[in-house]
Amino acid sequence: MAHENEFVTIDRKIITRPFLFLLTVTIIGFVFIAIRYVKGIGAVSNLSDGYPWGIWIAYDVATGTAIACGGYAMAILIYITNKWKYHSLIRSALLTSLFGYGLAGLSVTIDLGRYWNLYNLFIPSRWQFNSVMFEVAMCVMAYTLVLFIEFLPAILEKIKGKDNRLSKLAAYIYPKLNNILIFFIVLGITLPTMHQSSLGSMMTIATHKLHPIWHTGFLPLLFLINCIYLGFAAVIFESILSSFGFNRKYEVNELSGLANIIPWLTVVWVSIRIGDLIYRKEISDAFSGDFYSVMFLIEFLLIFIGSIMLLNEKIRKSPRWLFITACLILFGGGLYRMNVYIIGFNPGYGWRYFPSFSEFMITLGIVAFEVLLYLIFVKMFPVLPSGHNTEVIVTEEVLEKSEKMAGRLEWQER
């Protein structure tokens, strides 16, 4: 499934001003993580018995893994619906997914109060098969490994071009990995389907703690659809941002195709959401004007406006508007998950939670580290589409002009 010469390495220096800025934020975040392990979780967080999950779980895990579902969404589009014209976007989507899921796992270890018991997860005799959290943990770990294997061809392509023992080993593994890669692609589609719906299932047990606007039996289905349209929006966001940052031509045709899919997914998602509120007779709460109603309306309007805009073909062909609409979808869809996991969650009278400065800095540090790794990898390995090579661009432009010229000549001859 690897497509050599379809991807290129960005030939730029790694250490730049943005790199140093991100490195600074990463170091600050990791200093607070070190404090957490030295002094305990209470020294850096406002977590309590009422709020055992803060932004590390609500954002880094529940929301972050959904935004990192670009690889999952692209795999469905390419390998299930056979849309191979989008294959050039797959490696950058896999890379962001790999870092998103890997760092979500890191966030869980930071959030665990008794992290020294984590090894129990690897002892089969201590597995709890009835636990949704166990399924999520196993699926996330397995999917992170699958993402790495799916991305491995990019690393092997870089290594096997040299003249040493490692390159010979890479050249030996590369074709064999290609032959079995389809097995990991199937796993890469199955595992997120399981754990993304399970992330919704976990909050169904919070019957009296989660606000009725968000608590529903449809949470697993809503979370699953939500992660797919967030995945497509994340691919658009990453592609436009990397094209702008590296001064490359925008992949408008491919991104326009992805943008055309998002409104169909959000229409299904919004229909289930509103239909469920009407059926449960909670629609009046959603428009009551209180704090929870406002949060619902913000999430709803961001998704709705972004989706409506994407129905316009001119907007889908504009990199600027594609970026804006992708941001609207990402903020709206991400806010939905934050509402379910933290904003709409009320453990009872007397409990309050607002993230501490340290919690914010640890989250910022993890996000900065993810972007930092992305910048390093795209400059070390063939990740971004090669369609922007000068030769290819010139060839396409020449072909387009040739076709137009041929059309004019044909018209003149008539």
Side-chain angles (χ1 to χ4, degrees):
M1 293 294 165
H3 292 242
E4 253 184 298
N5 303 321
E6 191 179 356
F7 306 95
V8 291
T9 305
I10 300 297
D11 188 19
R12 309 277 175 85
K13 61 180 182 180
I14 291 178
I15 299 177
T16 58
R17 286 183 180 177
F19 178 91
L20 293 173
F21 172 76
L22 291 167
L23 182 62
T24 305
V25 177
T26 302
I27 291 172
I28 293 171
F30 276 74
V31 167
F32 281 107
I33 291 174
I35 295 171
R36 176 260 176 271
Y37 283 114
V38 173
K39 295 188 175 181
I41 198 167
V44 295
S45 77
N46 287 335
L47 298 177
S48 62
D49 289 341
Y51 284 95
W53 289 350
I55 57 168
W56 297 333
I57 298 298
Y59 174 75
D60 297 353
V61 179
T63 307
T65 57
I67 294 172
C69 272
Y72 170 56
M74 293 303 296
I76 293 174
L77 184 64
I78 295 168
Y79 301 110
I80 300 294
T81 65
N82 208 25
K83 303 289 186 184
W84 285 88
K85 66 176 182 178
Y86 299 106
H87 191 268
S88 59
L89 300 172
I90 190 70
R91 278 195 184 168
S92 53
L94 287 173
L95 186 63
T96 50
S97 296
L98 174 61
F99 293 144
Y101 269 83
L103 294 174
L106 173 64
S107 300
V108 171
T109 62
I110 297 168
D111 185 81
L112 284 176
R114 299 178 179 180
Y115 58 88
W116 53 85
N117 287 327
L118 192 63
Y119 72 93
N120 287 311
L121 200 56
F122 302 95
I123 302 176
S125 61
R126 298 183 181 180
W127 287 356
Q128 174 52 270
F129 292 101
N130 295 325
S131 168
V132 177
M133 289 179 67
F134 170 75
E135 185 219 330
V136 171
M138 295 304 288
C139 280
V140 168
M141 283 196 300
Y143 185 51
T144 305
L145 178 62
V146 166
L147 283 169
F148 174 75
I149 294 171
E150 287 185 282
F151 185 75
L152 197 54
I155 299 174
L156 295 176
E157 283 173 18
K158 182 71 175 182
I159 295 174
K160 73 186 181 77
K162 298 177 181 177
D163 186 20
N164 53 44
R165 287 185 179 179
L166 187 61
S167 67
K168 289 178 182 176
L169 179 63
Y172 175 77
I173 297 173
Y174 185 75
K176 298 186 182 304
L177 178 62
N178 284 337
N179 291 335
I180 60 169
L181 204 55
I182 187 65
F183 169 73
F184 294 100
I185 290 169
V186 172
L187 274 179
I189 294 172
T190 306
L191 291 170
T193 306
M194 293 170 63
H195 68 251
Q196 283 296 332
S197 56
S198 294
L199 282 170
S201 300
M202 281 205 292
M203 297 308 291
T204 57
I205 62 174
T207 311
H208 303 294
K209 296 181 179 179
L210 182 58
H211 196 280
I213 292 178
W214 293 283
H215 187 274
T216 167
F218 286 105
L219 272 173
L221 180 60
L222 289 170
F223 265 57
L224 183 61
I225 301 172
N226 171 266
C227 83
I228 298 174
Y229 68 71
L230 279 181
F232 285 131
V235 172
I236 295 171
F237 177 84
E238 174 272 329
S239 176
I240 292 177
L241 209 56
S242 64
S243 295
F244 178 79
F246 296 126
N247 196 24
R248 291 160 49 89
K249 186 181 176 184
Y250 296 104
E251 292 131 356
V252 174
N253 289 333
E254 291 85 352
L255 300 183
S256 174
L258 298 185
N260 195 31
I261 299 169
I262 292 175
W264 297 101
L265 290 168
T266 53
V267 161
V268 174
W269 188 85
V270 168
S271 299
I272 296 172
R273 189 95 172 85
I274 298 299
D276 173 64
L277 285 172
I278 294 171
Y279 177 77
R280 292 187 293 112
K281 299 179 181 177
E282 300 291 349
I283 193 71
S284 57
D285 283 350
F287 296 94
S288 64
D290 65 4
F291 171 73
Y292 297 107
S293 167
V294 170
M295 296 309 296
F296 164 78
L297 290 174
I298 292 173
E299 131 203 333
F300 181 81
L301 288 175
L302 285 171
I303 297 170
F304 183 75
I305 293 171
S307 302
I308 290 293
M309 289 173 70
L310 286 177
L311 293 174
N312 187 312
E313 188 176 357
K314 288 184 179 178
I315 288 178
R316 293 201 305 270
K317 294 289 184 183
S318 163
R320 177 182 297 175
W321 284 109
L322 276 173
F323 182 77
I324 292 171
T325 50
C327 288
L328 291 174
I329 300 288
L330 285 172
F331 280 121
L335 180 59
Y336 166 71
R337 294 205 171 211
M338 294 290 287
N339 282 337
V340 171
Y341 265 79
I342 197 166
I343 295 171
F345 184 80
N346 184 358
Y349 180 77
W351 296 108
R352 295 286 184 273
Y353 171 75
F354 190 81
S356 67
F357 176 74
S358 306
E359 285 178 87
F360 277 121
M361 291 313 299
I362 288 174
T363 294
L364 282 176
I366 289 173
V367 173
F369 188 45
E370 182 178 349
V371 180
L372 197 68
L373 291 175
Y374 176 88
L375 291 176
I376 294 172
F377 269 64
V378 297
K379 293 174 181 177
M380 290 183 67
F381 303 106
V383 175
L384 297 179
S386 62
H388 304 300
N389 281 344
T390 308
E391 283 184 30
V392 177
I393 292 169
V394 170
T395 303
E396 288 177 351
E397 288 176 350
V398 168
L399 283 172
E400 189 178 350
K401 287 178 181 177
S402 300
E403 288 174 359
K404 287 181 179 176
M405 186 61 70
R408 286 175 186 171
L409 288 172
E410 188 180 352
W411 181 80
Q412 286 174 357
E413 285 175 2
R414 289 177 183 174

